[in-house]
């Protein structure tokens, strides 16, 4: 009998190791078989509902109709009619939908979690008091690692951190603070110096994640900010259907500095790997040639009011009660005055996942997970 019990325990141990499962206090925890988790940092391009759970204003929330109308059929807090980019990336990886970190449930975190917060930036003063800034998002990762160490032990947690990917979308809101919302004129500050501060904060967070055990980083650069419907309405002098070039120029400064930063980290930090997706060029291409990508409307949002539906009024909870809603959301690149539709997010997520070297380099995210 004792021999049979020994064989059973040995067999169970083999099964557990094959499936990458570990028992702790009679609770079985299974890690992803082939790769690590996915951790999401950043702003409203990535936020899947964290702002629902903080004492913020409705200016930074999307937990009311018509947000979420197509895929989830309810307003989950995502700034879209459907999914955000990380939701779709997680599907490509083979992971379930990642929970927002502040969700009051008790998620496992084994597959990762979303720390992103709409309106946030690399600078703590960006929408300060109303959003979760990047440094605070980092502190949440520290807490997650501590919880996993208690469950998995030190060795397995370190392996898990090492294999995981850390995906960022940061900067747009920081640069939005440079723009006078009434005149559309940029504030008279040294733009390169401002970019250096933003990149410096982002660099510090990446280095701290590296110190926590992270090695693989995915980053979206900043898009053509001046081409969102909310900024197009600020274009003066009767320039119809044009972007505000001055603020997009600051985004290009950021993107150039971002590339240099990660190249420098690659040389400084052993095992550091990264993927940059050129969101600026990808979105610019869609806006310039919308029909090529299956869209009919590139400059006007589906939901909002005013020229280009660029007034931030979608849902009627941001100070302006009246708003318009398009008939066919899939014809539009933008759902509201700032954010892409689910269909557009599908396009960008695919580029992040398996785009070629013209748009995503030196690895795409699929390759980064497989390293």
């Amino acid at each position: 009998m004792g021999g049979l019990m020994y064989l059973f325990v040995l067999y169970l141990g083999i099964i557990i190791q094959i499936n990458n499962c570990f028992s702790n206090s009679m609770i079985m925890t299974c890690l992803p078989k082939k790769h690590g988790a996915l951790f999401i940092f950043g702003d409203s391009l990535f936020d899947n509902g964290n702002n629902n759970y903080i004492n913020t204003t409705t200016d930074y929330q999307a937990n009311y109709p018509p947000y979420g109308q197509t895929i989830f059929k309810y307003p989950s807090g995502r700034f879209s009619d459907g999914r955000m980019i990380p939701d779709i990336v997680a599907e490509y990886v083979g992971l379930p939908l990642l929970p927002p970190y502040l969700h009051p449930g008790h998620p496992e975190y084994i597959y990762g979690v979303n720390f992103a917060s709409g309106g946030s930036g690399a600078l703590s003063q960006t929408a300060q008091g109303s959003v979760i800034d990047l440094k605070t998002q980092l502190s949440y990762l520290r807490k997650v690692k501590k919880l996993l160490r208690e469950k998995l032990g030190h060795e397995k947690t370190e392996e898990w951190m090492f294999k995981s990917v850390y995906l960022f979308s940061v900067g747009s809101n920081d640069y939005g603070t440079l723009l006078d919302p009434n005149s559309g004129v940029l504030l008279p500050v040294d733009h390169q110096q401002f970019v250096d501060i933003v990149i410096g904060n982002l660099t510090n967070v990446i280095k701290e994640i590296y110190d926590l055990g992270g090695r693989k980083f995915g980053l979206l650069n900043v898009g053509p900010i001046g081409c969102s419907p909310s900024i197009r309405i600020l274009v003066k002098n009767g320039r119809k259907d044009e972007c505000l070039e001055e603020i997009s120029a600051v985004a290009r400064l950021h993107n150039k500095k971002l590339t240099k930063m990660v190249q420098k980290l690659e040389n400084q930090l052993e095992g550091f790997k990264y993927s940059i997706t050129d969101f600026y060029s990808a979105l610019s291409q869609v806006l310039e040639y919308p029909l090529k990508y299956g869209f009919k409307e590139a400059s006007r949002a589906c939901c909002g009011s005013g020229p280009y539906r660029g007034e931030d009024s979608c849902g009627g909870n941001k100070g302006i009660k009246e708003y318009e809603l398009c008939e066919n959301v899939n014809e539009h690149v933008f759902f509201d005055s700032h954010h892409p539709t689910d269909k557009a997010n599908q396009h960008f997520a695919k580029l992040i996942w398996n785009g070629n070297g013209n748009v995503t380099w030196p690895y795409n995210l699929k390759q980064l997970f497989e390293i």
Side-chain angles (χ1 to χ4, degrees):
M1 184 68 179
L4 288 175
M5 180 61 70
Y6 170 79
L7 289 175
F8 173 76
V9 171
L10 178 63
Y11 175 76
L12 179 61
I14 292 172
I15 294 297
I16 289 174
Q17 291 301 318
I18 288 175
N19 288 282
N20 210 17
C21 296
F22 307 92
S23 179
N24 183 10
S25 301
M26 303 303 292
I27 298 175
M28 191 72 72
T29 299
C30 297
L31 300 175
K33 293 181 181 180
K34 296 182 180 180
H35 48 67
L38 177 64
F39 293 100
I40 309 300
F41 299 82
D43 52 32
S44 56
L45 278 179
F46 281 6
D47 185 359
N48 67 344
N50 277 305
N51 282 10
N52 296 354
Y53 306 104
I54 60 178
N55 185 23
T56 185
T57 70
T58 53
D59 290 346
Y60 300 106
Q61 292 178 329
N63 53 351
Y64 45 84
Y67 290 105
Q69 65 178 11
T70 56
I71 302 298
F72 300 103
K73 307 301 181 184
Y74 77 99
S76 64
R78 292 168 170 84
F79 294 81
S80 174
D81 63 293
R83 296 162 294 180
M84 306 308 292
I85 291 171
D87 295 324
I88 302 164
V89 170
E91 291 177 24
Y92 282 129
V93 182
L95 300 174
L97 282 175
L98 302 179
Y101 176 77
L102 294 184
H103 191 282
H106 301 282
E108 281 286 324
Y109 301 129
I110 291 297
Y111 298 107
V113 67
N114 190 319
F115 304 114
S117 172
S120 70
L123 308 179
S124 59
Q125 60 265 37
T126 299
Q128 191 168 18
S130 297
V131 299
I132 311 163
D133 65 80
L134 188 60
K135 191 172 182 180
T136 302
Q137 293 178 33
L138 170 65
S139 74
Y140 293 160
L141 176 65
R142 292 184 183 279
K143 293 179 180 179
V144 167
K145 182 179 180 181
K146 182 179 179 181
L147 289 171
L148 264 295
R149 189 188 292 117
E150 294 171 357
K151 181 176 293 187
L152 302 177
H154 175 78
E155 182 179 344
K156 287 299 175 185
T157 301
E158 293 302 316
E159 178 185 346
W160 176 77
M161 294 289 291
F162 183 88
K163 292 167 61 178
S164 296
V165 171
Y166 307 83
L167 183 62
F168 290 79
S169 169
V170 178
S172 295
N173 294 313
D174 297 308
Y175 301 122
T177 65
L178 295 176
L179 191 63
D180 185 316
N182 297 312
S183 67
V185 175
L186 267 65
L187 299 178
V189 301
D190 187 321
H191 296 155
Q192 184 62 66
Q193 187 177 54
F194 192 87
V195 167
D196 291 345
I197 295 171
V198 171
I199 293 293
N201 282 21
L202 176 57
T203 304
N204 290 338
V205 167
I206 290 175
K207 284 183 175 179
E208 291 193 50
I209 294 175
Y210 180 91
D211 291 339
L212 287 172
R215 292 296 182 271
K216 298 187 283 188
F217 297 84
L219 302 104
L220 259 67
N221 67 18
V222 172
I225 309 171
C227 294
S228 70
S230 63
I231 304 300
R232 285 181 189 266
I233 63 175
L234 300 177
V235 176
K236 306 300 181 182
N237 303 321
R239 294 183 293 167
K240 181 176 172 55
D241 217 31
E242 288 192 20
C243 303
L244 188 63
E245 165 59 24
E246 293 84 351
I247 190 67
S248 291
V250 178
R252 293 195 296 272
L253 290 176
H254 171 96
N255 296 342
K256 185 176 181 180
K257 186 78 174 182
L258 178 68
T259 299
K260 290 182 178 179
M261 179 267 282
V262 290
Q263 289 172 342
K264 185 176 181 180
L265 290 181
E266 184 181 35
N267 292 328
Q268 290 178 340
L269 304 177
E270 182 179 356
F272 179 88
K273 304 291 183 184
Y274 70 92
S275 170
I276 286 187
T277 299
D278 189 359
F279 185 59
Y280 188 102
S281 295
L283 179 53
S284 295
Q285 282 290 304
V286 173
L287 297 181
E288 187 171 357
Y289 307 106
L291 293 177
K292 177 181 177 181
Y293 298 96
F295 300 98
K296 292 184 178 180
E297 181 56 73
S299 58
R300 189 169 60 147
C302 171
C303 184
S305 57
Y308 309 108
R309 295 195 182 115
E311 295 286 354
D312 193 12
S313 59
C314 185
N317 282 357
K318 294 184 174 73
I320 303 175
K321 295 296 183 182
E322 300 297 324
Y323 66 93
E324 301 172 354
L325 185 64
C326 68
E327 292 185 3
N328 187 349
V329 65
N330 287 329
E331 293 180 351
H332 289 255
V333 176
F334 290 99
F335 179 66
D336 68 8
S337 58
H338 301 282
H339 308 103
T341 59
D342 180 273
K343 181 178 177 179
N345 282 333
Q346 289 181 58
H347 172 69
F348 300 128
K350 185 175 182 180
L351 295 178
I352 293 168
W353 177 244
N354 63 5
N356 61 34
N358 292 327
V359 68
T360 305
W361 69 86
Y363 304 97
N364 56 43
L365 219 64
K366 182 176 187 292
Q367 294 167 332
L368 206 59
F369 266 104
E370 293 173 347
I371 293 175

